[in-house]
Amino acid sequence: MYTPARIDRRVLTRYDGNPVLTAADFPWRMRAVYNSSAIRCEHSGAKSRYVMLCRCNELNHKTLLWGADSPDGLKWSLRAEPFAMPDTPTWHRYASTVYYDPRITWIDGQYVVLLAVMNTAFTRVAMFRSPDLESLEFVNYINAPDNRNMVIFPERSTDGRYIRLERPNIAAAGGKGSIWLSFSPDLIHWGDSYEVLETSEVWNYGISGLGPSTVPHRTDEGWLIIFHAIMNNCTTREYSVGAALLDLEQPWKVRHVTRYPILSPEADYEMRGLVDHVCFPCSKIIEPDGTLKLYYGGADTVQCVALGKLDDVIHACKHW
Ligand code: BMA
């Protein structure tokens, strides 16, 4: 029997300085900045405490990846120029002019950055490495089309393999689908894949598609994952945010998942924009005091932050 959860409070609160970045903040004219990823710097001698890799759309909707720096993860200063993108035969074998939704993992003493790369209708994911997020070195694509929303865990599995979450697109599901997990010995070659979370398991708010959003975070209760959840209706596709706890030893097994979104489009800057009704996270930062900062795009137009407590998100996974 279905029992409503009688939710009477918010797990995440919109930062009162939202949106933290808009197109008007750039030195050149831009159309939008959204779905960016922020990370607290882990390398020694870091120039800034937090770095954000911003997805921005030029006026013609070609995309750029632009760095921003921050002392607190909330107030951002854009760098003077966007990142230089690769000019190698391997990159040009697939990339055109649209690359988007970066995710950053600190692992093995380096930042590994994944970027979805669109060519006609299909998406591959490009992997970059960087010691400091001042520049990015393109390594290769790490999948055949069509797969996206990849995030690499910040630790290897007990048998020494890298782990990623991903969302292969399934044509029969309208080009959307479930969250999957794969393993790799070297970050390049991936396999031993498992389906983790199906759309039907996320009640109505994720019935039309799911995608992993942020780098998993180890907790005593399991790996905390945050995902975007899509619900199609007559006029829009609503993108909300859910959370789940995966088993620490067998991370393809879901221990708990929120039956209700922890964030849904409600603010004007999420309800109206280039794509209405979208909250699309690509990263979170968990501070030593348990504060969780979720970085998400509002309506495919502006960059936003929501704030909460790690313990409250875990509570929502277990009890909502
Ligand atoms: C997804 C991605 C995101 C975007 C979302 C809503 O498929 O392309 O970058 O925010 O759609 O338009």
Side-chain angles (χ1 to χ4, degrees):
M1 194 183 75
Y2 176 78
T3 315
R6 293 175 183 264
I7 292 166
D8 58 1
R9 65 196 170 96
R10 290 180 191 277
V11 159
L12 298 177
T13 308
R14 289 168 178 82
Y15 172 53
D16 57 15
N18 270 353
V20 293
L21 283 174
T22 73
D25 296 320
F26 286 77
W28 313 342
R29 285 203 63 207
M30 290 292 154
R31 191 73 196 278
V33 52
Y34 57 105
N35 300 5
S36 308
S37 267
I39 190 165
R40 194 175 54 233
C41 291
E42 303 282 358
H43 64 283
S44 59
K47 281 192 211 151
S48 63
R49 182 112 177 81
Y50 301 81
V51 169
M52 190 187 280
L53 301 186
C54 304
R55 171 204 178 150
C56 47
N57 288 20
E58 293 188 274
L59 298 181
N60 57 8
H61 290 295
K62 292 186 177 186
T63 54
L64 298 173
L65 192 62
W66 203 301
D69 299 286
S70 172
D72 58 6
L74 296 171
K75 297 189 171 51
W76 294 92
S77 308
L78 287 161
R79 295 180 183 170
E81 302 269 338
F83 281 93
M85 295 310 283
D87 193 17
T88 65
T90 308
W91 172 258
H92 291 301
R93 211 159 63 210
Y94 197 76
S96 56
T97 54
V98 179
Y99 37 86
Y100 59 101
D101 298 356
R103 269 83 170 194
I104 315 165
T105 299
W106 171 258
I107 189 165
D108 295 346
Q110 63 179 346
Y111 300 96
V112 176
V113 175
L114 302 185
L115 203 53
V117 177
M118 185 88 97
N119 180 331
T120 61
F122 298 113
T123 302
R124 297 179 75 185
V125 173
M127 185 177 89
F128 298 76
R129 299 179 202 272
S130 177
D132 53 11
L133 297 176
E134 297 294 324
S135 61
L136 301 174
E137 178 205 349
F138 173 57
V139 179
N140 211 329
Y141 299 103
I142 54 171
N143 67 296
D146 190 13
N147 194 337
R148 67 181 80 175
N149 297 318
M150 286 179 195
V151 289
I152 293 175
F153 282 59
E155 295 172 25
R156 299 196 204 191
S157 60
T158 40
D159 62 3
R161 293 180 296 168
Y162 297 95
I163 321 169
R164 80 179 180 199
L165 295 171
E166 59 200 329
R167 207 286 304 292
N169 281 359
I170 299 165
K176 299 295 168 190
S178 320
I179 296 176
W180 284 66
L181 178 146
S182 298
F183 291 95
S184 171
D186 58 4
L187 289 171
I188 308 283
H189 305 90
W190 294 87
D192 191 16
S193 304
Y194 295 79
E195 189 169 38
V196 176
L197 190 62
E198 286 180 46
T199 53
S200 59
E201 291 175 87
V202 187
W203 288 270
N204 279 3
Y205 77 96
I207 199 72
S208 310
L210 297 172
S213 285
T214 74
V215 173
H217 179 79
R218 177 186 278 277
T219 75
D220 292 343
E221 310 272 357
W223 285 107
L224 174 70
I225 69 161
I226 291 185
F227 54 86
H228 64 262
I230 311 166
M231 192 189 76
N232 293 348
N233 58 41
C234 290
T235 54
T236 53
R237 289 159 58 71
E238 182 181 71
Y239 279 71
S240 298
V241 181
L245 288 163
L246 307 182
D247 189 84
L248 289 173
E249 299 302 319
Q250 297 179 304
W252 57 91
K253 291 191 176 162
V254 176
R255 292 291 173 219
H256 302 279
V257 56
T258 53
R259 293 185 301 157
Y260 299 81
I262 57 170
L263 188 74
S264 294
E266 289 173 17
D268 281 352
Y269 50 79
E270 300 156 357
M271 295 294 280
R272 277 187 289 282
L274 293 174
V275 182
D276 293 347
H277 301 194
V278 178
C279 293
F280 194 100
C282 283
S283 77
K284 68 174 173 309
I285 290 173
I286 295 172
E287 301 291 9
D289 70 355
T291 300
L292 185 149
K293 296 171 177 158
L294 185 73
Y295 296 84
Y296 67 100
D300 283 10
T301 305
V302 292
Q303 183 58 41
C304 307
V305 181
L307 301 171
K309 286 282 174 198
L310 174 61
D311 285 349
D312 288 343
V313 177
I314 292 172
H315 177 89
C317 291
K318 292 170 73 175
H319 301 291
W320 279 23

